[in-house]
Amino acid sequence: MTKILTIVSGKGGVGKSTTTINLGMALNEYGKSVAIVDANITTPNIGIYLGVPTVPITLHHVLQGKNKIMDATYKHSSGVKVIPGDISFSSLDGLDLENLDDALLDLEGLVDYVLIDGAPGLGEEAAKAISVADGVIIVTNPEMPAVTDALKAAKLVNELRKPVTGLVINRFKRDGMDMSVHEIEKILEYPVIGAIEEDKNVRESIFLKNALYLTHPDSEGSKNFKRLAAKILDIPYRERKIKSLTFFERFNGFFNRIIGDKK
Ligand SMILES: Nc1ncnc2c1ncn2[C@@H]1O[C@H](COP(=O)(O)OP(=O)(O)OP(=O)(O)O)[C@@H](O)[C@H]1O
Ligand SMILES: [Mg+2]
C-alpha cells in the first residue's frame, strides 16, 4: 500500500525541499520505492535542486488536466521517481489544485512512499498538500519564529483531520543558542522524529545539483536523514556502507530516464 507523507512548515525556507529530497533518497536506500511530488506550485524547486529545472511535462500540466501524473514522472539516477513542477510564471494559468487527489490515485500501488514537498505558508497550496496526506511531517528550525509558524501549521493539520507523523528540526547547531528538542516538543506537542544538523555540505550539494545524501553520503546531515528514514520505517538505524560516487555520478544525477514521455 502506498503511503503519502506531506512535508510542511508554515515558515518558508526552513528545509522542506531538502528534507523531502534526502528523506526520499534514504527511504530508497532502505529498499522502499519512493516518488517525490513538488507541490510547491507557485515556486517549485525540486527540479532545480536535482539539476533539471525544466522538463517537458510537469505537475502543472497534470493539475491543468492536460496530462496524467505518469506523463510527468521522471526517474532520478538513484531510482527515486520525481514529479517536478513548472518554474515558469504562466504555468499557473488554468490550474486546479483539486486535480491533485485524482492524480495521486494513479500512483497508488506503484510506490511504497509518496513524499509531497509542500508550499511555504498556510494557504491553499499547503492546505491541499496536507489534505491528501496519510501523515504530515512538520519541519522547523530550532528558532522561535519558525517554531511559532510550525505551531500554526500543526493547527491547520489538525483542522484538516490529518495525523502528524512527527517534527523534523532542521539546521540544528551545537552553539548553545538553539531551542532544545524538549522545548520544541513541549510547544508543538508532537514528537521530534528527526534532528538534522546544520551541514555546510548542503550548499555544495546544491552546486552539484544532486541530493546531499548522494553527494556527501558520510556527512552528518546524511546520517541524520538516514536516522529519520529508519524512524519512519520503525526499523533500527544502521551506519551506511559508503560507496564513493564518481564525479559524474555526484554531479547532476537527475532524470536519466523519462518514464512518462511517450515520444
Ligand atoms: N541542514 C542544512 N544545513 C545547511 N543548510 C541547509 C540545511 N537545510 C537546508 N539548508 C539550506 O536552506 C535553504 C532553504 O532550504 P529549502 O529550500 O530546503 O527550504 P524550504 O523550506 O523548502 O524553502 P521554501 O519554503 O522556499 O520552499 C537552502 O539554501 C538550503 O541549502
Ligand atoms: Mg521548498
Side-chain angles (χ1 to χ4, degrees), residues 12-18 40 45 49 120 170-171 196-199 202 206:
V14 298
K16 292 178 294 301
S17 302
T18 306
N40 184 352
N45 43 36
Y49 278 159
N170 185 38
R171 308 196 76 161
I196 316 295
E197 289 169 53
E198 173 78 21
D199 188 334
V202 172
I206 291 172

Side-chain angles (χ1 to χ4, degrees), residues 11-79:
K11 190 171 184 332
V14 298
K16 292 178 294 301
S17 302
T18 306
T19 299
T20 306
I21 290 169
N22 289 290
L23 173 60
M25 298 298 162
L27 289 169
N28 179 58
E29 200 196 32
Y30 274 118
K32 299 294 173 191
S33 54
V34 177
I36 291 175
V37 178
D38 194 343
N40 184 352
I41 310 295
T42 315
T43 50
N45 43 36
I46 292 284
I48 298 171
Y49 278 159
L50 291 176
V52 177
T54 55
V55 290
I57 301 170
T58 64
L59 183 67
H60 288 69
H61 294 86
V62 179
L63 298 180
Q64 285 163 339
K66 293 177 183 162
N67 289 91
K68 302 296 263 182
I69 200 160
M70 289 313 293
D71 301 330
T73 303
Y74 301 83
K75 199 169 181 183
H76 185 265
S77 59
S78 59

Side-chain angles (χ1 to χ4, degrees), residues 133-192:
D134 299 311
V136 179
I137 295 174
I138 302 175
V139 181
T140 183
N141 294 150
E143 299 153 359
M144 201 40 115
V147 172
T148 308
D149 288 356
L151 185 58
K152 292 182 196 154
K155 291 222 163 89
L156 178 60
V157 178
N158 288 336
E159 273 168 28
L160 294 169
R161 298 182 186 285
K162 291 292 169 178
V164 173
T165 304
L167 311 170
V168 169
I169 307 175
N170 185 38
R171 308 196 76 161
F172 224 94
K173 296 166 216 73
R174 295 175 189 275
D175 57 9
M177 283 189 272
D178 285 336
M179 291 175 73
S180 70
V181 167
H182 180 68
E183 280 174 305
I184 293 171
E185 284 183 331
K186 217 169 144 200
I187 293 173
L188 294 176
E189 297 181 335
Y190 287 106
V192 170

Side-chain angles (χ1 to χ4, degrees), residues 93-168:
D93 298 342
L95 190 144
D96 186 354
L97 284 175
E98 293 307 316
N99 289 334
L100 187 62
D101 302 63
D102 283 349
L104 291 172
L105 280 180
D106 290 348
L107 291 178
E108 179 64 44
L110 295 184
V111 288
D112 298 315
Y113 284 91
V114 174
L115 301 185
I116 302 188
D117 183 20
L122 298 168
E124 258 184 287
E125 286 177 29
K128 185 70 231 176
I130 293 167
S131 75
V132 297
D134 299 311
V136 179
I137 295 174
I138 302 175
V139 181
T140 183
N141 294 150
E143 299 153 359
M144 201 40 115
V147 172
T148 308
D149 288 356
L151 185 58
K152 292 182 196 154
K155 291 222 163 89
L156 178 60
V157 178
N158 288 336
E159 273 168 28
L160 294 169
R161 298 182 186 285
K162 291 292 169 178
V164 173
T165 304
L167 311 170
V168 169

